[in-house]
Amino acid sequence: MENRSVMTRRGFTAAMAAVGSAVGIGCLSSVQGGTLKPAKAVAETAEEKVVWSQCNVNCGGRCIFRHHVKDGRIIYTETDNLGNPNEHQARACLRGRTYRHWVNSPDRLLYPMKRVGKRGSGEFERISWDEAIDTIAQQIQKTIDSYGNEAIFIHKGTGKYTAIGTDDTKTGMLPQRLFATLGGYLDYRGSYSIGAMQGYSPFMFGATYNPLDNVGASSVSEAENADLMVLFGYSAADTRMGGANGVWDMVKVRDSGTEIIQIDPRMNEQCSGFGDEWIPIRTGTDGALASAIAHELIVNDAVDLDFLHTYCVGYDEETMPESAKGKNRSYKDYIMGTGYDMVEKTPEWAEVITTIPAAQIRVLADRIAKADRLFVSQGWSVQRHSAGETNMMAICMIPILTGQLGLPGTNTGISMAAQVAQPLVGSIPQPENPVKTSIPVYQWLNAIDHGEDMTTTNAYVLGADKLKTGIKFFWSFAGNGITNQHGDINLVHDILQDESKCEFIVCHDIMMTDSCKYADIILPDAMVAESMGLSTNGYAEYYNGVTLAMPAQEAPGEARLAYDVYAEIADKFGKKEEFTEGLSHDEWIERIYNEGRANNPDMPSFEEMKTVGVYRFDLPSQIGLKDFRDDPIANPLSTPSGKIEIYSEQLAEMAETWDIAEGDAITPIPSFEPGYEGYGSVTEEYPLYCAQFHYKARTHSCYSNVPEIAAVARQQIWINPQDANPREISEGDICAVKSPHGEIRIEAHVTNRVIPGCVFIPQGAWHDADMFGDRVDHGGCYNTLLGYHPTPVAKQTNSNAVIAQVTKA
Ligand SMILES: Nc1nc2c(c(=O)[nH]1)N[C@H]1C(S)=C(S)[C@@H](COP(=O)(O)OP(=O)(O)OC[C@H]3O[C@@H](n4cnc5c(=O)[nH]c(N)nc54)[C@H](O)[C@@H]3O)O[C@H]1N2
Ligand SMILES: Nc1nc2c(c(=O)[nH]1)N[C@H]1C(S)=C(S)[C@@H](COP(=O)(O)OP(=O)(O)OC[C@H]3O[C@@H](n4cnc5c(=O)[nH]c(N)nc54)[C@H](O)[C@@H]3O)O[C@H]1N2
Ligand code: SF4
Ligand SMILES: [Mo]
């Protein structure tokens, strides 16, 4: 086999000897800002070696590992040990600390397999790599011949953030490179993370706005210059946990003395750790709270009218676009009850919806009004709701009304800048996709079920008015997003049973996941610890770095590097040369590293990196929309008016012309909307709102099957005593949770840390149901309960909204 980049035993021993000898002469070190700094001495023996590596799951970290290797196997893993006391260490969280259990899990896929039972049954038979690759190549050809390349879809998978894996820089993704070489594929836009935010915020802030980078949003450290930080549903202590992650940025904000108020239905780990105040809110109702705050700012003359009239469109009649003048369609009309629903958005109105007492809303509005420098931000849960789009923008109205954006110590109200716009190293290049049509990523299930009916106005198809064909060939790489991470698992199961719809599914993973059960062919991949790997930065300001991971152990069974497999598939089409450009996996890593180094000459040589492992430097802090604030004429936004569009004519038009599902609304101004299975939709049968959070026990479904973590961070539904007591549910009881879409079993955590009327389930647990029997999921997988109801504009995930009943099982 050519180009095999996974270490063979012989190659492995040779590489280890090289690393070992470097270590032996005492130069195991890490590079910072271009200078070598000695790391703490590590006790080494001739048989035991230390290998630098990195955690590559999708929590936004990229924490540093130092695998201790003996007899070709990781025996334990330490983390960043940089000796400089002034530097934060990019140390792994509890998940990373168990990496060796994960990588050596009995659930690892060892061989290619083909399905022999029904989809979802989990019945598979081992096959050879030759058979797997031949079958896949034939199916690709058949799909292209029968339906064209648009029938091929590559799902978003986020389990392998390396330069040759999933998309670290959003330019290079391995399967996309393969299928672009083979004539193209139906592309997706956005993500499950921030799909609604990405798709919707441009209407207000312009298309160049990117909530993930430092253009539209401020760095966390800007909050150190604020006197008040107001956070809606953001918990770095849950979601940005490791040393290479944003929780340490938040610690710095706290240490700077900035007052931190956190609004969350749950007292999350960040509130419990260092919030000055926790304001519990009913899930899905942030838009109502924000509107009532706006009301108080308006009635108390605390709005910055100069800012609103200079930088914005649509606050009041004075700045309404011609098309909407004289119709009481301004934002102020909405808030004051003189337009739209004609309801004044008083704190009393919001109290009923949010459960926050009106007096408390007034106090909060007053503190906001009096803040010299106000930093408003939100996590991503608010927008991950069927009505999350407009509710998310309602939060942004707080800094807009007070003129607190584009200045030191402020933010735009959207999430904080999470990663650098210019990472130190890139990823494998992705040739242009010859197919120009794209769908929002959450629409893939619709595109399997009834792709031919999907248009721009009902499914936000771009690049064409409608899809020519449904998805017939489905590729999943490093993702568990067919079932576990998608939503409405029971619906997915039903749609995939009809094999005339999606004819062929490939899952390329490392574990036998629930999604794999739906594959026609499963391919086993090698993990980062089993090959060379390269990755850049974490979601943190103080830690920005590149790690060159060296192989620590061999891949189990016949697992092989995806790159080599894809080169073989390309070869079947005579495209191997085009796919590889004559380079092996490791040669690509070297090329990508050296390209990064050409732009950052302080980076050490590639050879040097093989032993020093890590190069790091601090990121400068940035202020979202600073250029626009400094000079709105010279630096207009890319909205049609060049200004912040509080009233969007584009949205107004879409409200008239787009298909809008029952329960949804498209509004031209930021408003409170309850949405599908949101506020007001509970019934006698389903009397509770049920939401979810990203949990310390895992990164989505990654690390889910590590027993050491599951034991300390249990999979439990959070339920308030006021809801638990009448149901006679006590701590640790197994509960049945039912929604209109499915049923699960899960242990109860009875706690005052969640508000009455709302229950919360940590998302990502492995689905575990007999799909040909009662379909009751015993794994506690939230997506069993969720209905499939994409957001009205961006058409992205609604995973934070469902109604449910909980009983003792
Ligand atoms: N209900 C609900 N659902 C959600 C969310 C939610 O909040 N609520 N969140 C959504 C969000 S924000 C996201 S980003 C998605 C994430 O969705 P996914 O990307 O599907 O999530 P993971 O479970 O991390 O899947 C990663 C997969 O990669 C595999 N993997 C790990 N390492 C390797 C490797 O080296 N090679 C290969 N080939 N595979 C590897 C893992 O085994 C795992 O199956 O989930 C979404 N789903
Ligand atoms: N440990 C861990 N960390 C992760 C991940 C993981 O799976 N595990 N996933 C990573 C990924 S890919 C992503 S996209 C991010 C996700 O990051 P987020 O989307 O920000 O995370 P969530 O936990 O979904 O939501 C954040 C908080 O919002 C609260 N919340 C829920 N509903 C509401 C609401 O209606 N209003 C308000 N105000 N608050 C609400 C939740 O209780 C939670 O504390 O996390 C990343 N980090
Ligand atoms: S924070 Fe994320 S990247 Fe860091 S060790 Fe934990 S799971 Fe891995
Ligand atoms: Mo995400």
Side-chain angles (χ1 to χ4, degrees), residues 32 43 98 112 115 166 218 294 301 316 347 554 620 713 719 722 752 792:
Q32 296 179 354
T98 66
R115 183 169 57 84
T166 50
S218 299
D301 280 334
D316 54 15
E554 281 184 81
I719 181 166
Q722 285 186 41
N752 280 313

Side-chain angles (χ1 to χ4, degrees), residues 171-235:
T171 54
M173 293 182 273
L174 191 58
Q176 276 80 351
R177 180 176 171 91
L178 171 66
F179 284 99
T181 313
L182 305 183
Y185 53 91
L186 174 66
D187 206 356
Y188 66 71
R189 302 190 311 278
S191 65
Y192 286 67
S193 314
I194 52 166
M197 196 176 261
Q198 286 166 313
Y200 197 82
S201 58
F203 292 101
M204 184 187 256
F205 288 126
T208 48
Y209 178 82
N210 181 356
L212 265 184
D213 69 24
N214 291 345
V215 178
S218 299
S219 318
V220 183
S221 62
E222 263 316 308
E224 293 170 34
N225 302 319
D227 43 330
L228 177 63
M229 183 184 212
V230 182
L231 293 174
F232 291 80
Y234 180 69
S235 175

